[in-house]
Amino acid sequence: MSAAMDTESTYSGYSHYSGHSKKAHRQGRDRHKSPRSKDGSRSEKSVTIQTPPAEPLLGNDASQAEEGQDDNWGETTTAITGTSEHSISQEDIARISKDLEDSVGLDCKRYLGLTVAAVLGLLVFLTPIAFILLPQILWRDDLEPCGTVCEGLFISVAFKLLILLIGTWALFFRQPKADLPRVFVFRALLLVLIFLFVFSYWLFYGVRILDSKDTNYQGIVQYAVSLVDALLFIHYLAIVLLELRQLQPMFTVKVVRSTDGESRYYSLGHLSIQRAALVVLENYYRDFTVYNPALLTASKSRAAKHMAGLKVYNVDGPGNNASGQSRAMIAAAARRRDSSHNELYYEEADHERRVKKRRARLVVAVEEAFTHIKRLQAEEQQKAPGEMMDPREAAQAIFPSMARALQKYLRTTRQQQYHSMESILQHLSFCITNNMTPKAFLERYLNPGPTLQYDRDRWFSKQWTLVSEEAVTSGLQDGIVFVLKCLDFSLVVNVKKIPFIKLSEEFIDPKSHKFVLRLQSETSV
Amino acid sequence: PSHHNTEYFLSLQQRIEIHKLRQGDNLILGFSIGGGIDQDPTQNPFSEDKTDKGIYVTRVTEGGPAEVAGLQIGDKIMQVNGWDMTMVTHDQARKRLTKRNEEVVRLLVTRQSLQKAVQQSMMS
């Protein structure tokens, strides 16, 4: 029987490699293995987990473990829990299944909108050309000759159409950075406006010019030019609505992460809620420190202890006084003299001391390691060709002396999953190549950085959902709250309007700055 | 008793006669003054009202003529030989006290301890 695992996932890929690194040092070989590969062949005990879509989750694992399986494998296979190297928790399963679902495709909605807009754009683009060419094709002989004026108008139409083409591409058809839930209201309105506009032009053209076979060619060309001018003005309107209106800051937005309370403030202009969410998310990856679930275990265990404190037993039979019961429990818990605050204080002080100590050891070890390397200048490179190494080899040479201190530090600050040995070696050779000091090398490990700094696999936050009480295409207003949820945490966004600032002026004459001494003499008589 | 700056204070005054001591070429009185209308009254530690720009005794030399005559630190000098000292500059005050041809100066001083003593006796 297969079972889903509830054990905490420990991607301690780095610790798995500490032994390897020592061996490598001794034997002079190195192994370039990514610890992130869910390679079933490395784990001695493999686990197959059944999820609702009824397909094996670890696809590559299953293919290797399933030699000689029969149709009754569901009943006859035993699952080994908790002892394999790659254990997966309930959250990971949900995350992986969600990834599978969503990647298949809500893209058709986006492509539909894009094709409609492209078709419309093409029609609109070809309309002035059609206006000019149709009389030439249909009743060429009757047309009045039109000299330099028309040629000037042709050139201006050509250039204006070129500008329109580039402008429209720049505004509407560039690669979108993100996939938003609802259609852009302003874009849709603009498309409708353009459609109506061009439609009315065609109507007039059809009635006044095609039917009556107007011979005044200059007038026809001017009609086409007026259409292009009006389209340029609509394009200008589009620029103002879609780009300029959002530039001036009108709202201040506070973003708080639900798990640890880290917060930031941003300034936004007039945006719809979905676009504001997009801006917040783009800044989230740069400004917020990476989400580390290992840091939350302490508060979770404290919460569990609080809950386990009191138990309520119903002695008098089935009572339905549930609210009274819970209130009694809370009151009793409050009265109980517990010393958990004491524990917390000493634990935190102890942890801080330990971190500082390990940090000191790490800094010393890295500084010492860096002194073993010297950069060879160009002349020296020819003179001493003996032991020359490229940055990668140099990094591998000094890495073992600091590996242990670094590993211990990362363990203490619970960051060990974010840095694999390979990434550390890469960073080390990068720093060596760019003449960085030990402190610059350590900057990445001493402080948790923004999410962008780390490997995509460790992000915990790739699929976002916008939860909002107002329609997501409505604009931002003062007091709106919306939530950006991903699987493990959420960002709560609170919108506040920037206050109206009344600024008045006061003129100070530069000559009016006068001073007097504050004296305090004492004279003896 | 005459009225002081505000009507809440009783002002009790004491007359003190100091005989100057000759030290070499100078006649000294044996105390130091602070205050004056050109000085900063907020830095006066002895005045009760910090806008009082009067002349105050800031130090009294031990065994000097001023101490012998009964002058105390913190006294406010109201008059010197009949000359008013409540609205003078610091330098004018110094000059009035150190006139070379005077051997005796008669000061009219007021003192907070006097006021407090009177207030206490009035209240009891």
Side-chain angles (χ1 to χ4, degrees):
Chain A
M1 200 201 53
S2 62
M5 313 260 226
D6 271 316
T7 56
E8 185 111 7
S9 67
T10 47
Y11 280 99
S12 54
Y14 181 57
S15 64
H16 179 68
Y17 273 101
S18 60
H20 282 213
S21 75
K22 292 208 173 79
K23 263 194 250 163
H25 180 59
R26 268 183 257 131
Q27 294 171 12
R29 282 184 303 151
D30 65 350
R31 306 185 185 197
H32 294 272
K33 278 206 193 131
S34 155
R36 213 91 48 258
S37 69
K38 301 192 173 83
D39 187 1
S41 62
R42 289 199 294 108
S43 62
E44 291 105 352
K45 306 142 191 152
S46 70
V47 177
T48 317
I49 300 167
Q50 179 129 21
T51 57
E55 56 181 27
L57 201 54
L58 303 170
N60 42 1
D61 273 354
S63 56
Q64 276 148 351
E66 260 165 48
E67 45 269 341
Q69 269 195 359
D70 53 15
D71 285 332
N72 295 333
W73 70 269
E75 280 85 46
T76 54
T77 317
T78 33
I80 302 165
T81 59
T83 49
S84 78
E85 280 172 357
H86 291 277
S87 57
I88 302 220
S89 70
Q90 193 72 20
E91 292 142 10
D92 290 347
I93 297 170
R95 189 180 311 129
I96 295 171
S97 61
K98 205 167 189 303
D99 277 347
L100 284 174
E101 264 173 23
D102 294 325
S103 61
V104 168
L106 305 170
D107 285 347
C108 20
K109 190 180 66 174
R110 179 152 58 102
Y111 285 134
L112 184 68
L114 214 59
T115 44
V116 164
V119 163
L120 191 66
L122 206 61
L123 278 173
V124 166
F125 183 72
L126 292 175
T127 301
I129 302 177
F131 283 178
I132 295 176
L133 287 179
L134 277 176
Q136 293 273 356
I137 296 168
L138 293 177
W139 60 92
R140 197 197 186 106
D141 311 316
D142 301 329
L143 286 176
E144 291 167 10
C146 164
T148 38
V149 180
C150 274
E151 281 157 22
L153 289 174
F154 288 152
I155 295 175
S156 83
V157 164
F159 273 103
K160 283 178 190 166
L161 278 179
L162 183 66
I163 293 174
L164 255 184
L165 193 67
I166 297 175
T168 312
W169 169 80
L171 207 55
F172 290 101
F173 292 112
R174 267 194 296 190
Q175 183 79 358
K177 295 180 286 187
D179 199 7
L180 293 177
R182 301 246 180 221
V183 75
F184 285 131
V185 170
F186 280 139
R187 283 196 191 186
L189 283 179
L190 279 170
L191 283 180
V192 169
L193 180 68
I194 291 175
F195 175 71
L196 287 175
F197 184 70
V198 171
F199 182 71
S200 59
Y201 257 78
W202 268 109
L203 214 58
F204 271 101
Y205 187 77
V207 168
R208 290 292 179 77
I209 296 178
L210 283 180
D211 278 353
S212 59
K213 297 218 190 266
D214 193 1
T215 53
N216 179 10
Y217 193 51
Q218 185 176 336
I220 296 174
V221 176
Q222 275 177 338
Y223 184 75
V225 171
S226 74
L227 170 64
V228 180
D229 287 340
L231 284 176
L232 273 175
F233 279 124
I234 293 185
H235 188 255
Y236 164 71
L237 183 70
I239 291 182
V240 167
L241 275 183
L242 296 180
E243 302 285 329
L244 288 183
R245 214 169 148 249
Q246 299 140 22
L247 291 179
Q248 184 144 46
M250 296 283 305
F251 297 99
T252 305
V253 150
K254 176 173 182 177
V255 185
V256 182
R257 184 158 60 185
S258 66
T259 50
D260 59 357
E262 185 168 344
S263 61
R264 291 276 186 286
Y265 287 88
Y266 299 111
S267 284
L268 297 176
H270 276 293
L271 289 173
S272 60
I273 291 182
Q274 61 182 1
R275 292 192 66 171
L278 189 62
V279 171
V280 164
L281 282 179
E282 284 166 4
N283 286 323
Y284 167 80
Y285 284 109
R286 181 196 63 181
D287 291 329
F288 278 73
T289 60
V290 67
Y291 166 70
N292 194 348
L295 292 174
L296 303 170
T297 49
S299 52
K300 279 192 192 153
S301 63
R302 270 204 303 276
K305 263 202 313 189
H306 286 311
M307 291 233 292
L310 288 177
K311 282 192 183 309
V312 176
Y313 293 99
N314 212 342
V315 189
D316 298 323
N320 40 11
N321 189 11
S323 66
Q325 232 176 51
S326 48
R327 244 180 267 148
M329 233 176 91
I330 295 172
R335 254 179 259 133
R336 173 181 61 155
R337 293 172 65 222
D338 72 20
S339 56
S340 55
H341 58 275
N342 234 355
E343 267 176 52
L344 172 63
Y345 170 69
Y346 283 115
E347 216 177 276
E348 281 196 344
D350 195 39
H351 178 74
E352 219 175 282
R353 200 178 52 85
R354 245 181 307 138
V355 166
K356 283 195 175 147
K357 224 170 171 185
R358 292 255 165 102
R359 182 199 159 114
R361 286 206 190 121
L362 173 62
V363 169
V364 162
V366 172
E367 281 174 357
E368 213 186 294
F370 267 64
T371 59
H372 295 313
I373 294 227
K374 187 174 99 81
R375 178 177 267 265
L376 280 181
Q377 302 302 320
E379 323 72 61
E380 295 169 331
Q381 278 177 22
Q382 283 108 32
K383 275 186 240 166
E387 270 294 316
M388 280 202 309
M389 299 184 281
D390 67 1
R392 173 91 195 173
E393 289 163 359
Q396 280 160 359
I398 60 172
F399 178 66
S401 58
M402 63 166 92
R404 194 177 162 78
L406 185 57
Q407 177 198 356
K408 280 203 164 151
Y409 181 80
L410 290 179
R411 273 255 174 84
T412 315
T413 52
R414 311 228 182 94
Q415 286 177 291
Q416 72 267 24
Q417 305 155 11
Y418 290 96
H419 304 286
S420 66
M421 181 171 94
E422 179 58 33
S423 79
I424 299 175
L425 274 174
Q426 260 177 15
H427 184 60
L428 186 54
S429 54
F430 170 78
C431 291
I432 291 176
T433 317
N434 291 306
N435 287 328
M436 292 207 201
T437 58
K439 196 164 173 190
F441 164 71
L442 280 176
E443 166 269 333
R444 175 188 265 226
Y445 304 107
L446 292 179
N447 308 309
T451 317
L452 282 176
Q453 190 177 291
Y454 299 97
D455 205 11
R456 277 194 93 108
D457 297 338
R458 302 306 307 172
W459 277 7
F460 285 101
S461 55
K462 283 180 266 187
Q463 193 81 16
W464 295 91
T465 315
L466 176 56
V467 177
S468 156
E469 286 163 18
E470 326 261 326
V472 298
T473 48
S474 64
L476 288 178
Q477 307 270 341
D478 187 31
I480 283 189
V481 174
F482 58 93
V483 176
L484 287 159
K485 265 201 333 208
C486 76
L487 221 48
D488 300 293
F489 60 94
S490 50
L491 296 172
V492 181
V493 180
N494 200 348
V495 178
K496 281 204 164 17
K497 202 171 153 80
I498 292 180
F500 181 73
I501 298 172
K502 248 179 121 85
L503 197 59
S504 57
E505 176 204 352
E506 186 183 327
F507 174 70
I508 295 185
D509 186 4
K511 295 198 205 98
S512 70
H513 297 299
K514 298 273 182 248
F515 296 92
V516 82
L517 282 179
R518 288 165 70 109
L519 297 171
Q520 178 215 355
S521 336
E522 193 188 4
T523 320
S524 57
V525 293
Chain B
S2 60
H3 287 282
H4 206 54
N5 291 342
T6 69
E7 54 196 14
Y8 300 94
F9 283 112
L10 287 178
S11 87
L12 286 173
Q13 292 163 343
Q14 185 168 347
R15 290 184 194 279
I16 292 183
E17 192 173 293
I18 304 180
H19 297 263
K20 292 189 187 179
L21 182 64
R22 183 163 289 278
Q23 252 191 16
D25 210 18
N26 301 323
L27 285 166
I28 62 162
L29 288 154
F31 66 98
S32 298
I33 52 166
I37 51 176
D38 56 338
Q39 305 285 310
D40 178 18
T42 59
Q43 302 192 35
N44 187 346
F46 304 109
S47 59
E48 188 127 333
D49 175 12
K50 290 303 171 193
T51 58
D52 184 5
K53 295 191 175 183
I55 305 293
Y56 280 78
V57 175
T58 55
R59 229 180 325 143
V60 177
T61 348
E62 277 201 16
E67 197 191 19
V68 165
L71 193 65
Q72 289 182 13
I73 183 172
D75 287 355
K76 177 176 174 178
I77 303 177
M78 311 292 287
Q79 286 178 12
V80 171
N81 286 345
W83 293 98
D84 173 60
M85 296 287 264
T86 56
M87 284 303 214
V88 294
T89 66
H90 190 84
D91 208 43
Q92 284 170 344
R94 180 189 60 82
K95 282 188 185 146
R96 289 201 187 141
L97 283 166
T98 54
K99 285 198 155 56
R100 281 180 162 279
N101 47 4
E102 286 175 355
E103 290 231 357
V104 175
V105 284
R106 293 185 179 81
L107 308 177
L108 188 65
V109 303
T110 183
R111 187 178 294 163
Q112 284 188 24
S113 53
L114 286 177
Q115 294 175 359
K116 289 205 176 95
V118 169
Q119 277 169 355
Q120 278 171 1
S121 64
M122 275 176 61
M123 281 190 281
S124 59

